[in-house]
Amino acid sequence: MLTAMNRVLLNNIDHADLRVAIRAGAAFGDGVNQLPIFPSEFEEAQRVFPIIFREENGSLQPYALLGLDRDENLFLAGDRWTSDYVPVFQRRGPFSIAVGKTATGGDDEPMVHVDLDDPRVGAPDGLPLFKEHGGNAPLLDHMTDVLRTIFQGMETTAAICAAWRDAGLLRAITLQISLDEDRTYEVPDILTVDRQALAGLSGETLERLHRHGLLEGAIFAAASLGNVQRLIALKAARQAGR
């Protein structure tokens, strides 16, 4: 996995000719069994991954469960994802977002940075970030949207998850997954959306979640747990060498 970083503020003068390759793989951080996701991703993510929650520094963070063993991503095959959806956190590639002053000295605003030490940056098969005669190329526009989703998610996720917990929807569990009679995996210290608690919502609590647009996300997270069976099937297939 990449460790060295040389993040710089991206601009169309110093980086006018910079190209970046679209590439995945364990070397780029894809070889993990969990990835953080944000509530804005739940509609798409719940079709593919189980969504779980972990408490970190007093706040809750949702994760997509990707594998059963350490550093195992059952949706990664070499240098590509096999799933129809890839968590936005990993789609950012060598790009990141940080808050800084504008060029005119205005208020702080999110700005795009790029890691010049990432081997995807400057790769011969890379795509341009800027058009030849000015303006952003499609890749940079796409990455800007990805980073905006991440930034907004980091700003809002803790409050959204707190609202779900306050409504009694999150239940602490140890997820037990039986692959066969001899092999059982445990995912400890997590929380999931409790289907019974969700079905039992009523009155002011139900109305409040609906009014703030938070009910649908909880429904998606609860429905996502059906994907545990998909993990079992992928794990069995991998161990069988298929």
Side-chain angles (χ1 to χ4, degrees), residues 22 24 30-32 42 47 54 66 73 75 97 104 110 120 131 158 160 172 188-189 214 237:
I22 304 302
D30 296 288
V32 293
F42 281 12
R47 299 188 182 106
R54 290 194 178 279
L66 309 175
N73 182 348
F75 301 91
I97 195 165
T104 58
R120 292 170 290 189
K131 296 178 180 178
I160 292 172
D189 304 322
L214 302 182

Coordinates of all heavy atoms in Angstrom, one line a residue, residues 22 24 30-32 42 47 54 66 73 75 97 104 110 120 131 158 160 172 188-189 214 237:
I22 N -6.3 6.0 -14.3 CA -7.4 5.4 -13.5 C -7.1 4.0 -13.3 O -7.1 3.1 -14.2 CB -8.8 5.6 -14.3 CG1 -9.0 7.0 -14.6 CG2 -9.9 5.0 -13.4 CD1 -9.0 8.0 -13.4
A24 N -6.9 0.7 -10.1 CA -7.2 0.2 -8.8 C -6.2 -0.9 -8.5 O -5.3 -1.3 -9.3 CB -8.6 -0.3 -8.7
D30 N -7.0 -0.5 -2.1 CA -8.2 -1.2 -2.4 C -8.3 -2.6 -1.6 O -9.4 -3.1 -1.5 CB -8.4 -1.4 -3.9 CG -8.6 -0.1 -4.6 OD1 -9.6 0.5 -4.5 OD2 -7.6 0.3 -5.3
G31 N -7.2 -3.1 -1.2 CA -7.1 -4.4 -0.6 C -7.4 -4.3 0.9 O -6.6 -4.6 1.8
V32 N -8.6 -3.9 1.3 CA -9.1 -3.8 2.7 C -10.5 -4.5 2.8 O -11.2 -4.6 1.8 CB -9.2 -2.4 3.1 CG1 -7.8 -1.7 3.2 CG2 -10.1 -1.5 2.2
F42 N -25.7 5.5 0.3 CA -26.4 4.3 0.7 C -27.3 3.7 -0.3 O -27.4 2.4 -0.4 CB -27.2 4.6 2.0 CG -26.4 4.6 3.3 CD1 -25.0 4.7 3.2 CD2 -27.1 4.6 4.5 CE1 -24.3 4.7 4.4 CE2 -26.3 4.7 5.7 CZ -25.0 4.7 5.6
R47 N -27.1 -2.0 -2.6 CA -27.3 -3.1 -3.6 C -26.2 -4.1 -3.6 O -26.4 -5.1 -4.2 CB -27.6 -2.4 -4.9 CG -28.7 -1.5 -5.0 CD -29.0 -1.1 -6.5 NE -30.1 -0.1 -6.6 CZ -29.9 1.2 -6.8 NH1 -28.7 1.7 -7.0 NH2 -30.9 2.0 -6.9
R54 N -19.3 1.8 12.9 CA -18.3 1.7 14.0 C -18.3 3.1 14.7 O -18.4 4.1 14.1 CB -16.9 1.4 13.4 CG -16.8 0.0 12.9 CD -15.3 -0.4 12.7 NE -15.2 -1.8 12.2 CZ -15.3 -2.8 13.0 NH1 -15.4 -2.7 14.3 NH2 -15.1 -4.1 12.6
L66 N -16.4 -5.4 2.9 CA -16.0 -6.0 1.6 C -15.4 -7.4 1.7 O -15.3 -8.0 0.7 CB -14.9 -5.0 1.1 CG -15.2 -3.5 1.0 CD1 -13.9 -2.8 0.6 CD2 -16.3 -3.3 0.1
N73 N -10.5 -7.9 0.1 CA -11.6 -7.3 -0.6 C -12.1 -8.3 -1.6 O -11.5 -8.5 -2.7 CB -11.1 -6.0 -1.3 CG -12.2 -5.2 -2.0 OD1 -13.3 -5.8 -2.2 ND2 -12.0 -4.0 -2.4
F75 N -14.4 -8.0 -3.7 CA -14.9 -7.3 -4.9 C -13.7 -6.8 -5.7 O -13.9 -6.0 -6.7 CB -15.8 -6.2 -4.5 CG -17.0 -6.6 -3.7 CD1 -17.0 -6.6 -2.3 CD2 -18.2 -7.0 -4.4 CE1 -18.1 -7.1 -1.6 CE2 -19.3 -7.5 -3.6 CZ -19.2 -7.5 -2.3
I97 N -9.0 16.5 -0.8 CA -9.6 17.8 -0.6 C -9.1 18.4 0.7 O -9.1 17.7 1.7 CB -11.1 17.8 -0.7 CG1 -11.7 19.1 -1.0 CG2 -11.7 17.0 0.4 CD1 -13.1 19.1 -1.5
T104 N -7.5 35.0 -3.9 CA -7.7 36.4 -3.6 C -7.8 36.7 -2.1 O -8.1 37.8 -1.7 CB -9.1 36.9 -4.3 OG1 -10.1 36.1 -3.7 CG2 -9.0 36.7 -5.8
P110 N -13.0 24.5 0.2 CA -12.4 23.2 -0.2 C -11.6 23.4 -1.5 O -12.1 24.0 -2.5 CB -13.6 22.3 -0.4 CG -14.7 22.9 0.4 CD -14.5 24.4 0.2
R120 N 0.3 6.6 -10.1 CA -0.8 6.9 -11.2 C -0.6 8.3 -11.7 O -1.2 8.6 -12.8 CB -2.2 6.7 -10.6 CG -2.5 5.3 -10.2 CD -3.7 5.1 -9.4 NE -3.6 5.6 -8.0 CZ -4.5 5.5 -7.1 NH1 -5.6 4.8 -7.3 NH2 -4.3 6.0 -5.9
K131 N -7.8 20.8 -20.2 CA -7.9 20.9 -21.6 C -6.7 21.7 -22.2 O -6.2 22.5 -21.5 CB -9.2 21.5 -22.1 CG -10.5 20.7 -21.7 CD -11.7 21.4 -22.1 CE -13.0 20.6 -21.7 NZ -14.2 21.3 -22.0
A158 N -21.6 12.4 10.9 CA -21.7 12.2 12.4 C -23.1 12.6 12.9 O -23.7 11.9 13.7 CB -20.6 13.0 13.1
I160 N -25.9 12.8 11.2 CA -27.0 11.8 10.6 C -27.0 10.6 11.5 O -28.0 10.1 11.9 CB -26.7 11.5 9.1 CG1 -26.9 12.8 8.3 CG2 -27.6 10.4 8.7 CD1 -26.5 12.7 6.8
A172 N -25.9 -2.5 18.8 CA -24.5 -3.1 18.8 C -24.6 -4.6 18.7 O -25.3 -5.2 19.5 CB -23.9 -2.6 20.1
P188 N -16.6 -8.1 15.1 CA -17.0 -7.6 16.4 C -17.1 -6.0 16.5 O -16.6 -5.3 15.6 CB -15.8 -8.0 17.3 CG -14.6 -8.0 16.4 CD -15.1 -8.4 15.0
D189 N -17.8 -5.6 17.5 CA -17.8 -4.2 17.9 C -18.4 -3.3 16.8 O -17.8 -2.2 16.4 CB -16.4 -3.7 18.2 CG -15.8 -4.5 19.4 OD1 -16.5 -4.9 20.3 OD2 -14.5 -4.7 19.3
L214 N -34.1 11.6 6.7 CA -33.1 10.6 7.2 C -33.7 9.2 7.3 O -33.0 8.2 7.5 CB -32.7 11.0 8.6 CG -32.1 12.3 8.8 CD1 -31.7 12.6 10.2 CD2 -30.8 12.4 7.9
A237 N -16.4 -19.0 -3.3 CA -15.9 -19.1 -4.7 C -14.4 -18.8 -4.8 O -13.7 -19.5 -5.5 CB -16.7 -18.1 -5.6

